[in-house]
Each structure stands twice: as structure tokens, then as C-alpha cells.
Amino acid sequence: AQKVTQAQTEISVVEKEDVTLDCVYETRDTTYYLFWYKQPPSGELVFLIRRNSFDEQNEISGRYSWNFQKSTSSFNFTITASQVVDSAVYFCALSGVIQGAQKLVFGQGTRLTINP
Amino acid sequence: KAGVTQTPRYLIKTRGQQVTLSCSPISGHRSVSWYQQTPGQGLQFLFEYFSETQRNKGNFPGRFSGRQFSNSRSEMNVSTLELGDSALYLCASSPSRTGGPDTQYFGPGTRLTVL
């Protein structure tokens, strides 16, 4: 069975601080995808990044960076110099790559609040 | 390109009624998935449709059903509504060009309240 754990339920920081959101996953698949989504108060899930299990290269996109470590089954997300607009609930998710396995397993989410 | 659209955005029903939610995927996307989001259970997968066929189904009772039309638009139906069905229902579309798993892009959701 697949499982995603986001141990941090809520995080609150002051604007301009760096913040890291943790994600740990479990899967028996040797090939899989990992995702991060952002859910602002409007409710829509906004896609941020997808990582293939065979690609452990870290990624940076502006103030966002992702650290994928297969050895520890973790896919952590860091926001540098946080801004109030980053306030949202962030979800880590996992899916298989088997044909027909179009199903995302989500973590419980981390509610991030950036205070001015 | 227009994003995923869902209608209606808000819905209030009473127990025992049935409801139909609609989802229009991003143009060219062939796969449509549905998820239920509640404070207690989080985000849970309902089912996925690809080329008008249900390919995958989550662990929900038979009261939850769906279908996909030839233009990839999808509907989900919940019959005999229960209070516990109150949730945000999210639809996601995916290119799935080769038929395999792909990134899913979500719509704004339909918030269903059952009284």
C-alpha cells in the first residue's frame, strides 16, 4: 500500500523567514511519481512540481526548492524568504506509474501561515 | 488554455436526495479523476475515467458513481445523500497521452453541503 506522511500539521513563521515542509512516503513500487500541490483559501489545488523516482536531482524554482532523497523516502519542500502570499495548505502526493494507476495518494497537508 | 472547470461551485442538499456534479477538463486531456476532501479524512480518491471507461476506483460505496462523455467531460453522481457526504469534491484532468499516469491539474471544486 502507498502512504504519504506530512508530520507538520501547522507551521507559522514571520515573513522573510525560510521554511521547510516535510514529506515522507511509503511505497513498494520501484518506479513512482511524487508531487507537491498548494491549496489557497479558494480551494483549488495548484500543481507545483512532479518528481520521478529515478531522478534524485534537487530542483529550484525561484524561492521554491525541493530535496528528494530516496534513501530516506523523503521529498521535502523549502520556501526561501517566505511571503504572505505563500500562506496556504500544502500537500505532498504519490502516484504509481503502472498503466491505469492514475491515482494520487495525498498526505494530510501542512497549513502554512506567513505573518507580516 | 482554460483550466479545469466544475459546476456548480456550491450546492446544498438534504439527506436522501441525489446530486450530480460536472467537470470539464483542460482541452486535450483524456483522463479525469475525482477526489473528495473532508476535514477528517483529507483528500481521498474516488475514481478515474479515461476514454469513457472507469479505470480505477477508490474505496467508496456504490452510491458514488460517475461517467465520462466522448468529449472527456465527466459527471459524478451521489445518490441517497448522507450527512457525511458533505465535502469539497475536486475534479482533476490529466493529459495521459500514452494512457499512463501523468500530472493531474485540479479544478476549483464543488462544495456540497448535506443538511
Side-chain angles (χ1 to χ4, degrees), chain B residues 13-19 63 78-83 85 114-115:
Chain B
K13 293 286 187 179
T14 56
R15 278 183 301 173
Q17 288 187 308
Q18 77 164 25
V19 66
R63 300 185 297 106
V78 188
S79 63
T80 319
L81 284 166
E82 300 177 359
L83 295 178
D85 297 334
V114 182
L115 302 177

Side-chain angles (χ1 to χ4, degrees), chain A residues 103-116:
Chain A
K103 168 188 173 181
L104 285 170
V105 175
F106 286 90
Q108 286 298 311
T110 297
R111 181 176 298 279
L112 177 63
T113 302
I114 310 296
N115 299 297

Side-chain angles (χ1 to χ4, degrees), chain A:
Chain A
Q2 296 179 326
K3 184 180 179 182
V4 176
T5 301
Q6 294 179 254
Q8 304 149 310
T9 305
E10 292 192 36
I11 298 176
S12 181
V13 300
V14 177
E15 201 172 18
K16 296 184 184 176
E17 285 186 22
D18 298 348
V19 58
T20 295
L21 309 182
D22 297 333
C23 172
V24 174
Y25 62 92
E26 295 175 30
T27 180
R28 294 179 190 171
D29 294 340
T30 54
T31 307
Y32 46 89
Y33 292 136
L34 292 164
F35 301 83
W36 276 95
Y37 285 87
K38 173 183 179 179
Q39 188 175 42
S42 61
E44 181 173 345
L45 280 169
V46 178
F47 166 72
L48 295 177
I49 189 170
R50 181 180 95 181
R51 235 22 199 168
N52 300 335
S53 55
F54 50 83
D55 181 4
E56 287 194 69
Q57 190 172 8
N58 291 331
E59 178 139 349
I60 298 175
S61 176
R63 298 183 296 104
Y64 296 171
S65 63
W66 291 270
N67 182 4
F68 175 33
Q69 291 197 333
K70 211 167 177 178
S71 60
T72 56
S73 297
S74 65
F75 186 41
N76 297 336
F77 173 30
T78 297
I79 301 175
T80 302
S82 61
Q83 299 176 2
V84 173
V85 293
D86 295 327
S87 296
V89 180
Y90 290 85
F91 291 94
C92 180
L94 168 71
S95 84
V97 296
I98 300 170
Q99 189 80 1
Q102 186 82 302
K103 168 188 173 181
L104 285 170
V105 175
F106 286 90
Q108 286 298 311
T110 297
R111 181 176 298 279
L112 177 63
T113 302
I114 310 296
N115 299 297

Side-chain angles (χ1 to χ4, degrees), chain B residues 47-63:
Chain B
F47 28 64
E48 185 229 353
Y49 286 87
F50 180 83
S51 293
E52 302 179 64
T53 300
Q54 186 182 91
R55 284 202 300 193
N56 210 353
K57 190 176 191 303
N59 189 24
F60 278 83
R63 300 185 297 106

